């Protein structure tokens, strides 16, 4: 399909204007020809608009330019309507029907009468409602009271495009019902006049010179500037936005399947495919002239610059454990949905004063899932079991343990407060409350909460995919002969396992030697497969630091000299739009940098937002002096309420990583810690390990 050289947007109107002064509720249009935008045009009534549209189509056809014409009213009705009127599901037959039945002159039209006439076929209570006229119309309800709709209220697309008005509403602010009825006949006449030259989207193939397309400007546009007429501003901006779309993107948006109801351009038919745009190229840039960046500054930069890169899908609550919630989750019903009893016992109305009481027992009982249908007479009690809806006439429950029971009465001692042992409807959650906020990593309890308030499916982000790559000529895979000079690749299993513990999808892309061409190739493959890449080794700026060299050569590298021990410079960069975290090769430094930097940064990319690990101040079981200028992390664990640290601080001591159960964090300044002093201990579990 060739692109459209001319794009025009029309903001239609159901009413008809009379005067020459531009008004907001008349028709506005805007044309962009070969990229040049004309001033929005004021068309004071539909007769003029029809003439203008005819002229425009004629001009563009004569010039051999393809024309896309956008209109802001639905091209179809909810499923079933077309067939009930015309005997076929074909929406264009319905267009013809409206063209035959609508009378339209600047001073009069029959849209409300026609709506009433249609309604009368269905019993006179719907599908249309709203009457903008003073006189009553038989069969057309003025309001939604008593209104009944034999058809769906909305088209499928309107279920996705929240906030749109329905085509059944004929009057009132924002109503589009009249616009559709008064618009379709105009489009139909134009199709007759230019027979075979106009395709109506999405019902017909776009292989004609002109396309009519349904667009809803408010879907994508914000509010107009105060000094502009909104409709004039909107048609201009919609036209500009469409003209600015790359051809492939426009084609993608035009590719939808909605043969009966039609669609709104720009609403994704498969919402699971909504993917955020890639990261900005400069997301890892560091301020110039800073030689050592403090840890907190580095973290603040990552926090500011990174955002979610994962796309959104909808899944059953059952499967949502550990997933990142993509949007606020709103209670569809209250919890509890109705007042019920918190205990097994006897229910009655009102509290009881101090003293002994005897209450006659009503017949029957109320249990969870088996409500008591009748009313409990005043002064009577009824048997009631935990979770049962409070029957009519019950608001207070006495515990069965406090009651003496006879076949037809109970005896108990007061006082008992009115409302005792009852749970009120909505006392936990009220319908409409936000129960879980977007960005939350869903816990088992969250799944219970969502389910309790009536939610069956959740919109969540796809898990972040992180590729793990080891680099170094000395590395060997487990099970192989490492030879005299080789070492085993210990980082890869550690990092893969760590990422999985964080809740990401870890992708093993193996290891490569110190060879730049091989490294580039492997990064290419990793970028294809994953959302982010974690490498270890070769991240510094020495001769054999090929990872940083490759990133630097590609112009995609930022060397982060962070004032942290352990951890030499981190190499951060983008490779084919995918963030790369180049970690140091030393396993201790690699893990510390992963926990301190990569974990929160990746969480940000995953859509989970920023989180600082929970640390605890605890007495030290060790002594240590530390110089100022950098932050230090010591391998540590808690025994008998005191924090021990590993005997050696050597960065290659993997045994210490395994010995430890967390890290001690020593601030950027100098310190001298003596046994018993408080130090900050962050257990591995606080990082999600
Ligand atoms: P590099 O950062 O490449 O200079 O490596 C620093 C140290 O970490 C060297 O002693 C490497 O042999 C070691 N090293 C690098 N990668 C790994 C790995 N995947 N597993 C274990 N040790 C490694
Ligand atoms: Mg190396």
């Amino acid at each position: 399909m060739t692109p459209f050289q001319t794009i025009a947007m029309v903001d239609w109107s159901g009413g008809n204007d009379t005067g020459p002064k531009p008004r907001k509720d008349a028709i506005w249009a805007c044309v962009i020809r070969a990229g040049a935008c004309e001033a929005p045009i004021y068309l004071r009534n539909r007769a003029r608009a029809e003439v203008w549209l005819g002229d425009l189509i004629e001009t563009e056809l004569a010039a051999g330019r393809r024309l896309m014409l956008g209109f802001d009213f639905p091209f179809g009705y909810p499923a079933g309507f077309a067939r009930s009127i015309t005997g076929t599901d074909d929406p264009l037959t319905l267009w013809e029907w409206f063209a035959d039945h609508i009378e339209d002159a600047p001073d009069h039209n029959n849209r409300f009468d026609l709506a009433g006439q249609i309604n009368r076929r269905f019993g006179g209570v719907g599908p249309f409602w709203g009457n903008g006229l003073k006189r009553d119309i038989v069969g057309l309800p003025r309001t939604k009271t008593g209104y009944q709709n034999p058809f769906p209220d909305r088209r499928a697309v309107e279920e996705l495009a929240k906030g749109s008005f329905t085509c059944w509403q004929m009057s009132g602010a924002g109503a589009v019902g009249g616009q559709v009825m008064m618009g379709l006949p105009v489009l139909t006449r134009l199709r007759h006049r230019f027979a075979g030259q106009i395709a109506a989207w999405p019902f017909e193939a776009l292989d004609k010179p002109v396309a009519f397309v349904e667009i809803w400007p408010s879907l994508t546009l914000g509010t107009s500037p105060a000094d502009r007429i909104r409709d004039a501003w909107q048609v201009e901006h919609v036209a500009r936005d469409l003209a600015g779309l790359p051809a492939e993107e426009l084609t993608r948006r035009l590719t939808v399947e909605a043969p009966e109801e039609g669609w709104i351009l720009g609403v994704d038919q498969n919402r699971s495919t909504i993917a955020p745009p890639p990261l900005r190229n400069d997301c890892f840039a560091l301020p110039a002239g800073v030689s050592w960046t403090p840890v907190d500054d580095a973290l603040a930069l990552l926090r500011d610059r990174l955002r979610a890169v994962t796309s959104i899908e909808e899944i059953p609550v059952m499967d949502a454990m550990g997933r990142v919630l993509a949007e606020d989750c709103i209670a569809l019903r209250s919890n509890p949905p109705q007042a019920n009893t918190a205990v097994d016992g006897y229910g009655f109305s009102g509290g009881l004063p101090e003293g002994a009481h005897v209450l006659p027992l009503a017949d029957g009982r109320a249990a969870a899932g088996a409500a008591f249908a009748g009313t409990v007479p005043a002064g009577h009690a009824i048997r009631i079991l935990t979770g049962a809806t409070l029957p009519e006439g019950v608001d207070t429950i006495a515990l069965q343990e406090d009651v003496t029971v006879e076949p037809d009465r109970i005896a108990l001692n007061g006082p008992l407060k009115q409302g005792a042992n009852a749970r009120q409807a909505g006392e936990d959650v009220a319908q409409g409350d936000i129960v879980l906020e977007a960005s939350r990593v869903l816990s088992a309890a969250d799944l219970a909460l969502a389910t309790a308030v009536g939610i069956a499916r959740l919109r969540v982000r796809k898990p972040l995919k992180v590729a793990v790559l080891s680099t170094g000529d000395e590395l060997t895979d487990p099970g192989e002969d490492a030879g005299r000079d080789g070492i085993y690749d210990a980082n890869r299993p550690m990092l893969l396992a760590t990422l999985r513990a964080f809740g990401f999808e870890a992708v093993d892309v193996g290891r490569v030697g110190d060879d730049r061409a091989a490294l580039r190739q492997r990064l290419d493959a990793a970028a294809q497969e994953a959302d982010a890449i974690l490498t270890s080794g070769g991240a510094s700026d020495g001769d054999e630091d090929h990872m940083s060299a490759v990133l630097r050569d590609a112009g995609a590298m930022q060397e982060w000299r962070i004032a942290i021990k352990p951890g030499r410079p981190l190499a951060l960069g983008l490779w084919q739009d995918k963030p790369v975290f180049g970690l140091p090769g030393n396993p201790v430094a690699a893990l510390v940098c992963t926990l301190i930097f990569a974990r929160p940064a990746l969480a940000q990319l995953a859509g989970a937002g920023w989180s600082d690990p929970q640390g605890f101040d605890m007495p030290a079981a060790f002594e240590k002096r530390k110089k100022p200028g950098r932050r230090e992390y010591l391998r540590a664990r808690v025994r008998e309420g005191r924090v021990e640290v590993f005997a050696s601080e050597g960065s290659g001591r993997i045994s210490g990583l395994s010995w430890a159960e967390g890290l001690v964090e020593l601030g950027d300044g100098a310190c001298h810690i003596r046994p018993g002093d408080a130090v900050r201990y962050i257990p591995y579990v606080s990082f999600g390990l």
Side-chain angles (χ1 to χ4, degrees):
M1 184 179 37
T2 52
F4 298 93
Q5 291 83 20
T6 305
I7 293 197
M9 177 66 205
V10 182
D11 190 297
W12 204 247
S13 169
N16 245 349
D17 192 85
T18 43
K21 189 167 172 291
R23 281 179 27 160
K24 67 172 170 36
D25 50 359
I27 298 169
W28 286 87
C30 183
V31 179
I32 296 191
R33 223 177 247 108
C37 184
E38 298 180 355
I41 296 157
Y42 169 67
L43 297 160
R44 63 194 244 205
N45 60 43
R46 279 186 297 276
R48 290 188 180 219
E50 192 167 336
V51 171
W52 179 84
L53 284 164
D55 289 348
L56 173 69
I57 294 170
E58 206 165 78
T59 310
E60 300 312 299
L61 287 176
R65 287 186 290 259
R66 292 197 75 212
L67 166 67
M68 179 161 125
L69 252 170
F71 295 90
D72 69 333
F73 57 83
F75 284 6
Y77 282 82
F81 182 66
R83 175 170 291 275
S84 74
I85 299 292
T86 66
T88 150
D89 293 332
D90 174 30
L92 296 175
T93 309
L94 186 64
W95 287 29
E96 299 285 348
W97 189 90
F98 274 116
D100 289 345
H101 289 80
I102 278 286
E103 297 156 19
D104 193 5
D107 56 348
H108 165 79
N109 70 70
N110 67 341
R111 66 186 197 270
F112 295 112
D113 291 296
L114 188 61
Q117 199 181 311
I118 295 174
N119 275 8
R120 290 198 293 278
R121 297 186 178 195
F122 302 102
V125 286
F128 294 101
W129 68 276
N131 178 355
L133 304 179
K134 289 215 172 67
R135 70 182 156 87
D136 285 335
I137 291 174
V138 179
L140 182 63
R142 283 200 179 267
T143 65
K144 283 192 106 172
T145 333
Y147 165 76
Q148 270 175 28
N149 189 352
F151 304 101
D153 257 342
R154 292 175 180 280
R155 298 181 294 159
V157 66
E158 286 153 356
E159 297 292 345
L160 294 177
K162 289 277 153 53
S164 51
F165 282 81
T166 78
C167 56
W168 306 122
Q169 185 182 344
M170 295 296 294
S171 72
V176 295
Q179 295 194 40
V180 190
M181 269 191 204
M182 308 310 292
L184 296 181
V186 175
L187 302 194
T188 306
R189 284 192 291 274
L190 290 168
R191 281 167 54 81
H192 289 172
R193 177 170 157 196
F194 300 99
Q197 313 258 52
I198 300 177
W201 177 86
F203 313 126
E204 297 175 302
L206 298 183
D207 53 4
K208 315 248 162 53
V210 181
F212 287 170
V213 175
E214 179 186 337
I215 294 173
W216 184 39
S218 312
L219 186 70
T220 49
L221 293 182
T223 40
S224 57
D227 59 338
R228 298 271 317 254
I229 289 179
R230 194 196 59 174
D231 291 356
W233 178 85
Q234 281 193 345
V235 289
E236 178 182 329
H237 280 262
V238 169
R240 280 185 193 279
D241 287 353
L242 287 175
L245 282 181
E248 324 76 78
E249 176 58 19
L250 182 58
T251 307
R252 193 187 68 77
R253 293 189 191 184
L254 286 168
T255 312
V256 304
E257 196 57 41
E260 181 182 352
E261 296 187 335
W263 202 255
I264 298 170
L265 185 72
V267 176
D268 234 304
Q269 219 163 18
N270 178 2
R271 285 218 298 169
S272 69
T273 60
I274 298 175
L279 293 171
R280 284 168 54 102
N281 222 357
D282 59 356
C283 68
F284 291 130
L286 280 177
V290 176
S291 50
W292 288 96
T293 307
V295 172
D296 284 340
D297 294 7
L299 290 175
L301 283 173
L302 291 173
R303 179 182 188 149
D304 282 356
R305 306 254 183 88
L306 299 179
R307 41 169 187 65
V309 296
T310 44
S311 51
I312 295 168
E313 62 181 344
E314 198 180 278
I315 60 169
V317 170
M318 278 305 177
D319 303 335
M321 176 65 188
R323 290 294 204 93
V324 174
L325 199 57
E327 61 189 18
D328 289 349
C329 185
I330 292 166
L332 299 179
R333 69 190 318 223
S334 299
N335 183 52
Q338 74 323 53
N340 66 31
T341 168
V343 297
D344 286 350
Y346 293 84
F348 42 87
S349 173
L352 293 176
E354 181 93 47
H357 303 273
V358 174
L359 300 176
L361 262 180
D363 281 343
R365 58 168 218 164
F372 177 76
T375 301
V376 177
H380 285 59
I382 189 165
R383 177 70 169 140
I384 188 165
L385 298 161
T386 305
T389 300
L390 297 189
E392 206 66 43
V394 172
D395 60 12
T396 306
I397 303 99
L399 277 171
Q400 63 185 21
E401 293 85 334
D402 297 340
V403 173
T404 309
V405 187
E406 286 184 9
D408 56 353
R409 58 187 186 159
I410 58 168
L412 70 165
N413 285 317
L416 195 62
K417 274 212 310 227
Q418 180 167 29
N421 298 314
R423 303 171 179 144
Q424 300 312 314
E427 70 176 24
D428 179 29
V429 177
Q431 181 184 353
D433 280 357
I434 294 180
V435 282
L436 299 166
E437 286 185 11
S439 302
R440 188 180 176 85
V441 179
L442 293 163
S443 68
D446 294 346
L447 305 191
L449 177 57
T451 304
V453 298
I455 293 163
R457 297 173 69 79
L458 291 168
R459 288 182 42 84
V460 296
R461 292 196 173 270
K462 293 204 167 149
L464 187 78
K465 276 187 165 183
V466 189
V468 173
L469 175 64
S470 290
T471 72
D473 279 342
E474 73 278 33
L475 301 181
T476 305
D477 280 347
E480 286 176 5
D481 177 7
R484 196 181 64 116
D485 301 322
I487 61 167
Y488 288 106
D489 177 1
N491 285 348
R492 203 144 47 94
M494 172 177 74
L495 296 175
L496 286 166
T498 301
L499 291 169
R500 285 180 191 129
F502 291 163
F504 306 134
E505 197 176 308
V507 185
D508 183 2
V509 290
R511 58 179 178 81
V512 278
D514 290 320
D515 166 0
R516 295 186 188 183
L519 209 45
R520 278 188 212 101
Q521 239 174 25
R522 200 64 69 91
L523 285 173
D524 284 348
Q528 281 298 310
E529 233 186 300
D531 302 307
I533 305 166
L534 213 58
T535 71
S536 70
S540 196
D541 57 0
D543 295 349
E544 291 296 325
D545 287 316
H546 302 282
M547 188 62 219
S548 49
V550 159
L551 285 176
R552 199 179 301 115
D553 289 350
M557 146 89 177
Q558 291 288 331
E559 186 183 24
W560 283 45
R561 296 178 165 277
I562 300 166
I564 182 175
K565 180 188 173 187
R568 288 180 309 175
L570 275 181
L572 297 188
L574 287 185
W575 191 268
Q576 292 173 3
D577 289 339
K578 302 294 169 66
V580 182
F581 297 82
L583 304 166
N586 273 312
V588 177
L591 187 64
V592 168
C593 287
T594 300
L595 298 182
I596 303 300
F597 296 107
R599 184 197 67 93
L602 292 170
Q604 194 92 324
L605 296 173
W610 196 264
S611 69
D612 294 312
Q614 176 69 57
F616 305 89
D617 285 342
M618 301 199 68
F622 60 95
E623 173 158 10
K624 158 137 182 117
R625 283 174 196 277
K626 173 186 165 297
K627 292 199 202 92
R630 67 179 179 189
R631 184 169 299 183
E632 280 192 37
Y633 291 93
L634 310 176
R635 282 150 280 177
R637 65 185 192 186
V638 174
R639 289 291 180 271
E640 286 157 18
R642 284 151 56 101
V643 184
E644 306 174 341
V645 294
F646 191 58
S648 161
E649 290 180 17
S651 184
R653 299 287 192 107
I654 303 181
S655 64
L657 275 182
S658 162
W659 171 92
E661 291 161 8
L663 300 174
V664 158
E665 181 182 64
L666 302 177
D668 298 353
C671 65
H672 180 188
I673 292 172
R674 296 178 190 82
D677 289 352
V679 289
R680 187 122 191 104
Y681 174 70
I682 310 174
Y684 283 157
V685 287
S686 284
F687 295 104
L689 281 190

